[in-house]
Amino acid sequence: MNKEISAAEAANLKESGESIVFLDVREHDEVAICAIEGALHVPMGEIPERLEQLPKEPTLVVFCHHGMRSQNVIHYLEARGMTNTINLRGGIHAWACEVDPEMQRY
């Protein structure tokens, strides 16, 4: 199942106080350019070794630059029994375009 959420929908959930965690799977140099405040940062390559650190609840909104790496991470997590994941469609680029136009883009 391809579960996705738009940047605007994710922002609305965040603002509403809904219990969600943003999981940023980009590399350290990408996070240095721009980030969603409060997001948990675990680069894609570190997911296997840090799997136990990821929250099983609440919903994990997983994102990368454009949404492809995060989708791969979600497939990996779901194969290991995690059912609380959803992909941020368009990644942080969509967030910058739809939610935070002041955010630096790359």
Side-chain angles (χ1 to χ4, degrees):
M1 186 164 121
N2 191 15
K3 302 180 295 183
E4 291 190 322
I5 189 170
S6 74
E9 292 167 327
N12 286 339
L13 284 177
K14 185 179 184 197
E15 290 299 314
S16 75
E18 184 78 26
S19 186
I20 61 171
V21 173
F22 284 86
L23 174 60
D24 187 343
V25 299
R26 298 175 302 141
E27 296 301 317
H28 296 285
D29 59 334
E30 293 176 284
V31 174
I33 297 169
C34 61
I36 295 174
E37 186 177 339
L40 173 62
H41 177 229
V42 181
M44 181 177 175
E46 295 178 20
I47 293 289
E49 65 197 49
R50 295 178 62 187
L51 188 60
E52 293 303 316
Q53 297 174 12
L54 300 179
K56 307 297 184 265
E57 293 179 11
T59 300
L60 278 179
V61 178
V62 186
F63 70 95
C64 59
H65 188 199
H66 288 290
M68 295 305 297
R69 283 177 285 176
S70 53
Q71 190 63 55
N72 289 332
V73 167
I74 286 172
H75 289 307
Y76 178 86
L77 295 175
E78 288 179 342
R80 280 138 191 89
M82 290 187 72
T83 59
N84 63 324
T85 58
I86 190 164
N87 193 39
L88 180 62
R89 186 181 325 114
I92 200 162
H93 181 79
W95 185 273
C97 291
E98 299 173 27
V99 177
D100 186 359
E102 300 299 313
M103 179 180 277
Q104 185 172 341
R105 296 179 209 170
Y106 63 101

XYZ file of all heavy atoms in Angstrom:
830
model
N 0.848 -1.190 0.000
C 0.000 0.000 0.000
C 0.887 1.245 0.000
O 1.842 1.332 0.760
C -0.901 -0.014 1.227
C -1.914 1.098 1.236
S -3.207 0.758 2.434
C -3.050 2.172 3.466
N 0.552 2.184 -0.840
C 1.338 3.407 -0.957
C 0.664 4.511 -0.147
O -0.213 5.214 -0.636
C 1.466 3.791 -2.430
C 2.474 4.889 -2.640
O 3.266 5.189 -1.768
N 2.439 5.489 -3.807
N 1.059 4.651 1.112
C 0.462 5.657 1.982
C 1.261 6.947 1.869
O 2.465 6.950 2.120
C 0.448 5.179 3.427
C -0.306 3.880 3.626
C -0.287 3.450 5.084
C 1.129 3.135 5.517
N 1.239 2.647 6.879
N 0.589 8.022 1.498
C 1.243 9.319 1.365
C 0.375 10.410 1.969
O -0.838 10.276 2.067
C 1.503 9.655 -0.104
C 2.549 8.801 -0.767
C 2.929 9.336 -2.138
O 2.049 9.816 -2.870
O 4.122 9.273 -2.447
N 1.048 11.492 2.325
C 0.368 12.672 2.834
C 1.018 13.882 2.163
O 2.225 13.889 1.932
C 0.479 12.740 4.378
C -0.409 13.848 4.952
C 1.919 12.879 4.833
C -0.532 13.797 6.478
N 0.212 14.864 1.832
C 0.771 16.076 1.224
C 1.435 16.921 2.302
O 1.166 16.763 3.504
C -0.328 16.888 0.536
O -1.140 17.535 1.509
N 2.295 17.821 1.876
C 2.956 18.718 2.815
C 1.929 19.555 3.580
O 2.049 19.734 4.795
C 3.950 19.608 2.074
N 0.926 20.044 2.878
C -0.104 20.863 3.532
C -0.867 20.048 4.579
O -1.125 20.537 5.689
C -1.055 21.433 2.484
N -1.205 18.805 4.245
C -1.902 17.945 5.209
C -1.029 17.661 6.427
O -1.512 17.694 7.565
C -2.304 16.619 4.553
C -3.381 16.748 3.498
C -3.542 15.488 2.662
O -2.537 14.781 2.413
O -4.686 15.224 2.249
N 0.252 17.397 6.194
C 1.178 17.129 7.297
C 1.335 18.357 8.187
O 1.372 18.248 9.415
C 2.528 16.678 6.752
N 1.428 19.531 7.565
C 1.548 20.778 8.330
C 0.308 20.999 9.182
O 0.406 21.419 10.342
C 1.779 21.957 7.395
N -0.855 20.715 8.624
C -2.100 20.863 9.382
C -2.127 19.928 10.583
O -2.559 20.321 11.666
C -3.317 20.617 8.486
C -3.581 21.756 7.530
O -3.126 22.886 7.749
N -4.294 21.481 6.461
N -1.673 18.685 10.396
C -1.607 17.743 11.512
C -0.652 18.252 12.589
O -0.964 18.207 13.779
C -1.150 16.367 11.039
C -2.157 15.511 10.303
C -1.514 14.203 9.845
C -3.369 15.219 11.186
N 0.502 18.738 12.159
C 1.501 19.257 13.102
C 0.934 20.434 13.889
O 1.083 20.503 15.103
C 2.760 19.672 12.336
C 3.901 20.115 13.212
C 5.129 20.489 12.390
C 6.255 20.835 13.344
N 7.330 21.549 12.743
N 0.286 21.350 13.189
C -0.277 22.541 13.840
C -1.440 22.202 14.766
O -1.660 22.888 15.758
C -0.735 23.554 12.782
C 0.411 24.204 12.032
C 1.352 24.986 12.936
O 0.870 25.755 13.802
O 2.573 24.812 12.785
N -2.176 21.147 14.439
C -3.343 20.780 15.237
C -2.953 20.121 16.551
O -3.805 19.904 17.408
C -4.244 19.822 14.449
O -3.667 18.524 14.404
N -1.661 19.787 16.677
C -1.226 19.107 17.889
C -1.392 17.601 17.795
O -1.176 16.889 18.775
N -1.779 17.122 16.619
C -1.894 15.679 16.388
C -0.571 15.020 16.741
O 0.504 15.574 16.498
C -2.231 15.427 14.916
C -2.469 13.990 14.555
C -3.827 13.477 14.960
O -4.768 14.306 15.075
O -3.955 12.270 15.153
N -0.639 13.861 17.316
C 0.565 13.156 17.732
C 1.208 12.473 16.526
O 0.788 11.400 16.100
C 0.195 12.124 18.805
O 1.358 11.545 19.314
N 2.220 13.154 15.957
C 2.978 12.621 14.823
C 4.458 12.921 15.047
O 4.797 13.824 15.806
C 2.530 13.215 13.463
C 2.732 14.733 13.427
C 1.120 12.823 13.116
C 2.515 15.350 12.058
N 5.299 12.142 14.399
C 6.742 12.384 14.431
C 7.220 12.466 12.989
O 6.907 11.587 12.179
C 7.486 11.245 15.169
C 8.998 11.413 15.046
C 7.073 11.188 16.632
N 7.945 13.520 12.669
C 8.564 13.637 11.355
C 9.914 12.931 11.426
O 10.700 13.188 12.332
C 8.757 15.107 10.969
C 7.485 15.788 10.541
C 6.631 16.352 11.475
C 7.154 15.864 9.200
C 5.463 16.977 11.086
C 5.987 16.495 8.798
C 5.139 17.043 9.743
N 10.163 12.036 10.461
C 11.419 11.299 10.381
C 12.133 11.715 9.104
O 11.695 11.404 8.002
C 11.169 9.792 10.395
C 12.394 8.901 10.168
C 13.449 9.131 11.255
C 11.987 7.437 10.094
N 13.245 12.424 9.270
C 14.053 12.933 8.162
C 15.141 11.910 7.858
O 16.008 11.648 8.688
C 14.669 14.270 8.581
C 15.393 14.998 7.472
O 15.722 14.371 6.444
O 15.639 16.200 7.646
N 15.102 11.314 6.652
C 16.068 10.273 6.288
C 17.148 10.799 5.336
O 17.877 10.023 4.731
C 15.373 9.012 5.715
C 14.445 8.401 6.755
C 14.605 9.321 4.432
N 17.266 12.129 5.226
C 18.301 12.722 4.368
C 19.663 12.665 5.052
O 19.771 12.387 6.241
C 17.936 14.186 4.061
C 16.632 14.327 3.295
C 16.224 15.782 3.116
N 16.087 16.437 4.408
C 16.475 17.681 4.665
N 16.998 18.445 3.719
N 16.319 18.202 5.865
N 20.691 12.973 4.289
C 22.053 12.986 4.807
C 22.305 14.252 5.633
O 21.581 15.240 5.514
C 23.055 12.894 3.651
C 22.982 11.585 2.878
C 23.241 10.360 3.749
O 24.170 10.406 4.586
O 22.505 9.364 3.592
N 23.353 14.220 6.433
C 23.677 15.344 7.325
C 23.864 16.659 6.561
O 23.394 17.705 7.013
C 24.942 15.032 8.136
C 24.774 13.872 9.060
N 24.063 13.930 10.234
C 25.225 12.587 8.966
C 24.081 12.753 10.830
N 24.773 11.913 10.085
N 24.535 16.603 5.406
C 24.764 17.841 4.652
C 23.464 18.416 4.107
O 23.327 19.629 3.964
C 25.788 17.637 3.538
C 25.401 16.569 2.526
O 24.639 15.643 2.871
O 25.878 16.654 1.383
N 22.487 17.574 3.839
C 21.183 18.065 3.372
C 20.423 18.741 4.510
O 19.795 19.783 4.318
C 20.351 16.908 2.814
C 20.907 16.302 1.547
C 20.096 15.119 1.101
O 20.237 14.033 1.717
O 19.312 15.274 0.145
N 20.491 18.154 5.689
C 19.808 18.725 6.854
C 20.409 20.080 7.223
O 19.706 20.968 7.694
C 19.855 17.742 8.048
C 19.276 18.365 9.303
C 19.103 16.455 7.698
N 21.709 20.250 6.955
C 22.359 21.530 7.229
C 21.791 22.645 6.349
O 21.821 23.814 6.730
C 23.876 21.406 7.025
N 21.254 22.297 5.194
C 20.675 23.290 4.280
C 19.303 23.736 4.774
O 19.001 24.927 4.826
C 20.580 22.733 2.846
C 21.979 22.433 2.304
C 19.822 23.702 1.929
C 21.981 21.630 1.013
N 18.464 22.774 5.127
C 17.112 23.085 5.598
C 16.560 21.890 6.359
O 16.978 20.755 6.128
C 16.195 23.448 4.431
S 15.986 22.149 3.201
N 15.628 22.149 7.267
C 15.054 21.078 8.079
C 13.672 21.487 8.570
O 13.368 22.672 8.667
C 15.959 20.768 9.262
N 12.857 20.487 8.866
C 11.569 20.726 9.512
C 11.827 20.694 11.014
O 12.371 19.713 11.536
C 10.537 19.657 9.097
C 10.245 19.769 7.596
C 9.250 19.821 9.916
C 9.339 18.678 7.042
N 11.477 21.769 11.671
C 11.740 21.904 13.096
C 11.141 20.733 13.878
O 9.991 20.360 13.687
C 11.150 23.219 13.615
C 11.503 23.512 15.048
C 10.974 24.846 15.530
O 10.685 25.713 14.694
O 10.855 25.004 16.750
N 11.970 20.156 14.746
C 11.515 19.076 15.606
C 11.593 17.691 14.997
O 11.271 16.708 15.665
N 12.014 17.593 13.746
C 12.067 16.284 13.085
C 13.180 15.427 13.668
O 14.254 15.921 14.015
C 12.275 16.452 11.584
N 12.921 14.136 13.756
C 13.923 13.151 14.143
C 14.770 12.877 12.907
O 14.223 12.600 11.839
C 13.213 11.874 14.613
C 14.054 10.645 14.908
C 15.026 10.917 16.048
C 13.139 9.477 15.250
N 16.096 12.968 13.036
C 16.973 12.769 11.877
C 17.715 11.447 12.001
O 18.506 11.257 12.927
C 17.970 13.928 11.755
C 18.940 13.763 10.647
N 20.297 13.928 10.814
C 18.772 13.412 9.342
C 20.911 13.699 9.665
N 19.998 13.383 8.760
N 17.431 10.530 11.066
C 18.149 9.271 10.959
C 18.415 9.066 9.471
O 17.498 8.743 8.715
C 17.346 8.077 11.521
C 18.153 6.781 11.396
C 16.931 8.321 12.971
N 19.654 9.284 9.008
C 19.937 9.090 7.586
C 19.541 7.689 7.127
O 19.627 6.724 7.896
C 21.451 9.288 7.495
C 21.788 10.160 8.667
C 20.842 9.725 9.751
N 19.104 7.587 5.879
C 18.614 6.324 5.330
C 19.570 5.168 5.608
O 19.139 4.087 6.006
C 18.396 6.483 3.825
C 17.873 5.261 3.141
S 17.588 5.646 1.390
C 17.142 4.027 0.796
N 20.857 5.372 5.432
C 21.835 4.316 5.623
C 21.981 3.847 7.060
O 22.520 2.766 7.308
N 21.480 4.644 8.008
C 21.574 4.284 9.428
C 20.300 3.632 9.959
O 20.264 3.194 11.107
C 21.902 5.522 10.269
C 23.261 6.118 9.971
C 23.537 7.375 10.781
O 22.879 7.604 11.824
O 24.424 8.150 10.361
N 19.264 3.569 9.140
C 17.980 3.013 9.590
C 18.139 1.591 10.151
O 17.641 1.319 11.243
C 16.920 3.076 8.468
C 16.549 4.534 8.152
C 15.678 2.246 8.818
C 15.741 5.272 9.194
N 18.818 0.669 9.445
C 18.904 -0.698 9.986
C 19.517 -0.770 11.385
O 18.992 -1.474 12.256
C 19.777 -1.435 8.962
C 19.554 -0.695 7.690
C 19.421 0.755 8.112
N 20.584 -0.033 11.629
C 21.243 -0.104 12.930
C 20.516 0.690 14.007
O 20.753 0.484 15.197
C 22.703 0.352 12.824
C 22.859 1.812 12.462
C 24.253 2.172 11.965
O 24.766 1.465 11.085
O 24.783 3.180 12.455
N 19.627 1.586 13.613
C 18.910 2.410 14.594
C 17.417 2.096 14.641
O 16.632 2.835 15.234
C 19.148 3.890 14.276
C 20.635 4.265 14.452
C 20.941 5.694 14.110
N 20.225 6.618 14.976
C 20.227 7.943 14.785
N 20.914 8.480 13.787
N 19.556 8.727 15.579
N 17.044 0.977 14.058
C 15.637 0.584 13.962
C 14.924 0.607 15.314
O 13.797 1.088 15.424
C 15.546 -0.807 13.325
C 14.178 -1.333 12.961
C 13.484 -0.419 11.959
C 14.297 -2.739 12.392
N 15.588 0.104 16.341
C 14.963 0.033 17.670
C 14.736 1.413 18.282
O 13.948 1.539 19.215
C 15.804 -0.836 18.606
C 15.833 -2.293 18.189
C 14.449 -2.920 18.091
O 13.619 -2.694 18.997
O 14.199 -3.621 17.100
N 15.406 2.435 17.776
C 15.238 3.797 18.294
C 14.010 4.490 17.717
O 13.591 5.530 18.222
C 16.470 4.641 17.983
C 17.735 4.166 18.633
C 18.953 4.953 18.167
O 18.839 5.989 17.526
N 20.124 4.448 18.488
N 13.448 3.928 16.646
C 12.308 4.573 15.990
C 11.028 4.285 16.761
O 10.778 3.146 17.153
C 12.180 4.078 14.547
C 13.396 4.342 13.659
C 13.147 3.787 12.261
C 13.711 5.816 13.591
N 10.211 5.314 16.958
C 8.971 5.110 17.707
C 7.973 4.238 16.944
O 7.797 4.385 15.739
C 8.426 6.531 17.906
C 9.103 7.377 16.885
C 10.393 6.708 16.548
N 7.349 3.312 17.663
C 6.319 2.451 17.074
C 4.971 3.181 17.027
O 4.070 2.802 16.319
C 6.167 1.154 17.864
C 7.468 0.390 18.092
C 8.104 -0.082 16.803
C 9.330 -0.913 17.029
N 10.594 -0.211 16.980
N 4.848 4.178 17.848
C 3.700 5.072 17.887
C 4.264 6.451 18.147
O 5.305 6.568 18.785
C 2.731 4.706 19.018
C 2.040 3.387 18.829
C 1.114 3.085 20.002
O 0.873 3.982 20.832
O 0.648 1.960 20.087
N 3.708 7.489 17.742
C 2.553 7.675 16.865
C 2.954 7.501 15.404
O 3.972 6.878 15.103
C 2.148 9.122 17.162
C 3.463 9.792 17.444
C 4.307 8.750 18.141
N 2.187 8.102 14.521
C 2.475 8.054 13.090
C 3.826 8.694 12.795
O 4.128 9.779 13.290
C 1.366 8.782 12.302
O 0.128 8.130 12.557
C 1.654 8.783 10.812
N 4.630 8.003 11.977
C 5.905 8.533 11.490
C 5.685 9.089 10.094
O 5.338 8.337 9.180
C 6.955 7.429 11.392
C 7.719 7.007 12.625
C 8.679 5.879 12.272
C 8.479 8.167 13.218
N 5.854 10.382 9.924
C 5.807 11.010 8.611
C 7.247 11.041 8.107
O 8.063 11.823 8.584
C 5.188 12.424 8.666
C 5.204 13.066 7.287
C 3.774 12.378 9.240
N 7.561 10.136 7.179
C 8.930 9.954 6.708
C 9.155 10.837 5.486
O 8.319 10.892 4.584
C 9.188 8.469 6.363
C 10.656 8.244 5.999
C 8.784 7.556 7.525
N 10.311 11.530 5.466
C 10.584 12.396 4.318
C 12.068 12.438 3.985
O 12.931 12.156 4.812
C 10.037 13.815 4.542
C 10.758 14.621 5.577
C 11.775 15.501 5.223
C 10.423 14.511 6.919
C 12.432 16.261 6.182
C 11.079 15.263 7.888
C 12.087 16.143 7.514
N 12.328 12.805 2.743
C 13.685 13.024 2.238
C 13.618 14.290 1.389
O 12.850 15.192 1.698
C 14.187 11.802 1.460
S 13.164 11.371 0.036
N 14.383 14.354 0.311
C 14.378 15.545 -0.530
C 13.116 15.610 -1.389
O 12.392 16.610 -1.357
C 15.640 15.580 -1.397
C 15.819 16.865 -2.145
N 16.634 16.965 -3.233
C 15.302 18.102 -1.951
C 16.599 18.216 -3.684
N 15.807 18.921 -2.918
N 12.843 14.552 -2.144
C 11.676 14.547 -3.039
C 10.692 13.413 -2.781
O 9.641 13.373 -3.403
C 12.116 14.494 -4.506
C 12.715 15.771 -4.998
N 11.986 16.918 -5.200
C 13.997 16.091 -5.311
C 12.783 17.884 -5.633
N 14.009 17.415 -5.701
N 11.027 12.465 -1.921
C 10.071 11.420 -1.557
C 10.419 10.009 -1.978
O 9.714 9.075 -1.611
N 11.511 9.816 -2.721
C 11.856 8.470 -3.167
C 12.598 7.677 -2.078
O 12.257 6.527 -1.807
C 12.703 8.521 -4.445
C 11.950 9.103 -5.631
S 10.387 8.267 -5.991
C 10.971 6.648 -6.409
N 13.597 8.268 -1.465
C 14.318 7.565 -0.395
C 13.382 7.256 0.763
O 13.431 6.158 1.337
C 15.500 8.400 0.117
C 16.702 8.381 -0.784
C 17.793 9.287 -0.261
N 17.425 10.680 -0.509
C 18.121 11.731 -0.102
N 19.214 11.567 0.624
N 17.739 12.947 -0.390
N 12.534 8.206 1.094
C 11.610 7.979 2.209
C 10.653 6.831 1.891
O 10.323 6.033 2.767
C 10.850 9.249 2.563
O 10.216 9.810 1.437
N 10.227 6.714 0.638
C 9.356 5.601 0.253
C 10.099 4.276 0.418
O 9.536 3.298 0.898
C 8.862 5.762 -1.185
C 7.775 4.781 -1.561
C 6.520 4.956 -0.737
O 5.938 6.034 -0.663
N 6.095 3.905 -0.079
N 11.375 4.244 0.055
C 12.184 3.030 0.242
C 12.334 2.691 1.719
O 12.272 1.518 2.107
C 13.556 3.187 -0.409
C 13.485 3.161 -1.924
O 12.598 2.556 -2.509
N 14.428 3.833 -2.560
N 12.527 3.700 2.556
C 12.630 3.478 4.002
C 11.321 2.909 4.528
O 11.311 1.971 5.334
C 13.027 4.774 4.747
C 12.833 4.635 6.253
C 14.464 5.154 4.424
N 10.202 3.444 4.071
C 8.901 2.944 4.515
C 8.739 1.474 4.148
O 8.297 0.664 4.972
C 7.759 3.813 3.939
C 7.723 5.147 4.684
C 6.414 3.086 4.029
C 6.780 6.172 4.114
N 9.112 1.091 2.931
C 9.031 -0.327 2.536
C 9.885 -1.184 3.470
O 9.459 -2.260 3.896
C 9.472 -0.516 1.085
C 8.508 0.034 0.085
N 7.166 -0.286 0.059
C 8.697 0.900 -0.933
C 6.569 0.359 -0.921
N 7.475 1.094 -1.544
N 11.071 -0.716 3.798
C 11.974 -1.427 4.704
C 11.329 -1.573 6.089
O 11.326 -2.664 6.675
C 13.312 -0.683 4.802
C 14.288 -1.318 5.745
C 15.128 -2.339 5.322
C 14.377 -0.891 7.074
C 16.033 -2.932 6.196
C 15.267 -1.476 7.953
C 16.097 -2.493 7.516
O 16.972 -3.080 8.388
N 10.795 -0.475 6.614
C 10.184 -0.500 7.948
C 8.949 -1.386 7.989
O 8.751 -2.153 8.944
C 9.845 0.927 8.399
C 11.026 1.869 8.606
C 10.536 3.271 8.936
C 11.969 1.345 9.683
N 8.120 -1.299 6.960
C 6.914 -2.124 6.918
C 7.264 -3.606 6.841
O 6.577 -4.439 7.437
C 6.009 -1.714 5.758
C 5.325 -0.378 6.019
C 4.432 0.092 4.888
O 4.563 -0.415 3.750
O 3.611 0.979 5.155
N 8.336 -3.950 6.135
C 8.774 -5.347 6.046
C 9.233 -5.864 7.405
O 9.309 -7.078 7.608
C 9.896 -5.484 5.021
N 9.526 -4.960 8.331
C 9.948 -5.326 9.674
C 8.837 -5.089 10.697
O 9.092 -4.997 11.895
C 11.220 -4.566 10.048
C 12.425 -5.254 9.427
C 13.429 -4.312 8.848
N 14.406 -5.074 8.060
C 14.245 -5.359 6.757
N 13.173 -4.961 6.115
N 15.157 -6.052 6.106
N 7.617 -4.971 10.213
C 6.459 -4.923 11.093
C 5.984 -3.559 11.533
O 5.012 -3.469 12.284
N 6.640 -2.493 11.084
C 6.178 -1.159 11.476
C 5.016 -0.738 10.575
O 5.143 -0.734 9.358
C 7.319 -0.144 11.412
C 8.352 -0.364 12.499
S 9.608 0.929 12.568
C 8.667 2.297 13.231
N 3.905 -0.402 11.191
C 2.703 -0.057 10.432
C 2.308 1.404 10.599
O 1.265 1.816 10.105
C 1.525 -0.943 10.872
O 1.306 -0.744 12.283
C 1.804 -2.416 10.600
N 3.147 2.181 11.287
C 2.795 3.566 11.615
C 3.456 4.582 10.694
O 3.628 5.734 11.052
C 3.174 3.866 13.070
C 4.673 3.764 13.320
O 5.349 2.912 12.751
N 5.190 4.611 14.180
N 3.825 4.181 9.472
C 4.574 5.070 8.587
C 3.714 5.633 7.467
O 2.790 4.980 6.986
C 5.763 4.321 7.956
O 5.268 3.193 7.237
C 6.749 3.857 9.016
N 4.056 6.848 7.062
C 3.409 7.492 5.919
C 4.454 8.387 5.245
O 5.276 9.000 5.920
C 2.144 8.280 6.344
C 1.346 8.732 5.132
C 2.486 9.434 7.267
C -0.069 9.167 5.467
N 4.433 8.418 3.936
C 5.415 9.174 3.160
C 4.952 10.616 2.949
O 3.796 10.856 2.613
C 5.623 8.493 1.800
C 6.836 9.012 1.067
O 7.870 9.282 1.661
N 6.718 9.135 -0.234
N 5.867 11.556 3.144
C 5.580 12.956 2.827
C 5.773 13.127 1.318
O 6.894 13.116 0.831
C 6.499 13.898 3.608
C 6.303 15.386 3.355
C 4.907 15.837 3.768
C 7.356 16.194 4.098
N 4.676 13.213 0.598
C 4.710 13.321 -0.864
C 5.485 14.559 -1.291
O 5.182 15.661 -0.872
C 3.286 13.379 -1.424
C 3.220 13.347 -2.930
C 1.785 13.436 -3.490
N 0.787 12.777 -2.688
C -0.207 13.417 -2.038
N -0.321 14.721 -2.089
N -1.087 12.727 -1.329
N 6.524 14.349 -2.102
C 7.328 15.468 -2.585
C 8.443 15.887 -1.651
O 9.203 16.799 -1.967
N 8.525 15.243 -0.483
C 9.602 15.491 0.458
C 9.688 16.920 0.970
O 8.725 17.685 0.934
N 10.882 17.270 1.430
C 11.077 18.602 2.005
C 10.965 19.687 0.934
O 10.648 20.838 1.238
C 12.399 18.700 2.796
C 12.330 19.884 3.770
C 13.598 18.754 1.855
C 13.333 19.850 4.882
N 11.175 19.310 -0.317
C 10.992 20.278 -1.401
C 9.525 20.726 -1.446
O 9.247 21.932 -1.550
C 11.418 19.683 -2.747
C 11.272 20.634 -3.882
N 12.189 21.632 -4.131
C 10.302 20.762 -4.818
C 11.785 22.332 -5.179
N 10.642 21.824 -5.609
N 8.610 19.783 -1.344
C 7.180 20.126 -1.324
C 6.851 20.954 -0.087
O 6.058 21.900 -0.157
C 6.328 18.858 -1.368
N 7.466 20.614 1.044
C 7.247 21.384 2.276
C 7.647 22.843 2.065
O 6.934 23.761 2.429
C 8.031 20.753 3.420
C 7.790 21.378 4.758
C 8.435 22.454 5.280
C 6.830 20.967 5.740
N 7.955 22.747 6.538
C 6.961 21.850 6.838
C 5.888 19.951 5.805
C 6.186 21.723 7.994
C 5.112 19.838 6.953
C 5.261 20.712 8.025
N 8.817 23.036 1.439
C 9.299 24.398 1.174
C 8.361 25.135 0.222
O 8.111 26.329 0.397
C 10.715 24.361 0.607
N 7.840 24.442 -0.766
C 6.950 25.084 -1.746
C 5.566 25.376 -1.173
O 5.009 26.444 -1.404
C 6.813 24.197 -2.979
S 8.315 24.074 -3.965
N 5.003 24.428 -0.422
C 3.605 24.519 0.022
C 3.416 25.104 1.413
O 2.379 25.696 1.696
C 2.959 23.126 0.005
C 2.906 22.474 -1.357
C 2.409 21.039 -1.291
O 1.647 20.703 -0.349
O 2.775 20.247 -2.178
N 4.403 24.900 2.292
C 4.212 25.234 3.707
C 5.106 26.375 4.163
O 4.666 27.285 4.853
C 4.453 23.987 4.596
C 4.342 24.330 6.067
C 3.485 22.866 4.215
N 6.388 26.315 3.796
C 7.364 27.275 4.304
C 8.169 27.876 3.152
O 9.295 27.475 2.898
C 8.295 26.577 5.303
C 9.247 27.526 5.998
O 9.222 28.750 5.697
O 10.017 27.057 6.858
N 7.592 28.850 2.428
C 8.265 29.413 1.262
C 9.579 30.123 1.593
O 10.383 30.381 0.687
C 7.250 30.371 0.661
C 6.192 30.555 1.673
C 6.269 29.408 2.643
N 9.830 30.410 2.859
C 11.087 31.045 3.261
C 12.218 30.012 3.409
O 13.387 30.381 3.516
C 10.915 31.792 4.579
C 9.862 32.893 4.524
C 10.198 33.973 3.515
O 11.353 34.445 3.513
O 9.311 34.352 2.745
N 11.855 28.734 3.439
C 12.845 27.682 3.609
C 13.775 27.624 2.413
O 13.330 27.718 1.273
C 12.139 26.333 3.788
C 13.082 25.148 3.958
S 12.174 23.592 4.158
C 11.821 23.656 5.933
N 15.073 27.468 2.693
C 16.047 27.332 1.614
C 15.793 26.026 0.875
O 15.485 24.997 1.469
C 17.462 27.355 2.171
C 18.525 27.349 1.100
C 19.915 27.578 1.653
O 20.077 28.069 2.754
N 20.898 27.216 0.880
N 15.924 26.067 -0.455
C 15.731 24.875 -1.288
C 17.038 24.509 -1.946
O 17.923 25.334 -2.117
C 14.687 25.140 -2.363
C 13.324 25.424 -1.793
C 12.327 25.693 -2.881
N 11.310 26.600 -2.336
C 10.408 27.186 -3.039
N 10.357 26.992 -4.359
N 9.531 27.975 -2.481
N 17.131 23.255 -2.345
C 18.314 22.779 -3.041
C 17.918 21.760 -4.084
O 16.799 21.327 -4.125
C 19.355 22.214 -2.075
C 18.914 20.987 -1.300
C 19.331 19.714 -1.698
C 18.092 21.086 -0.179
C 18.927 18.580 -0.992
C 17.695 19.979 0.516
C 18.112 18.727 0.113
O 17.728 17.609 0.815
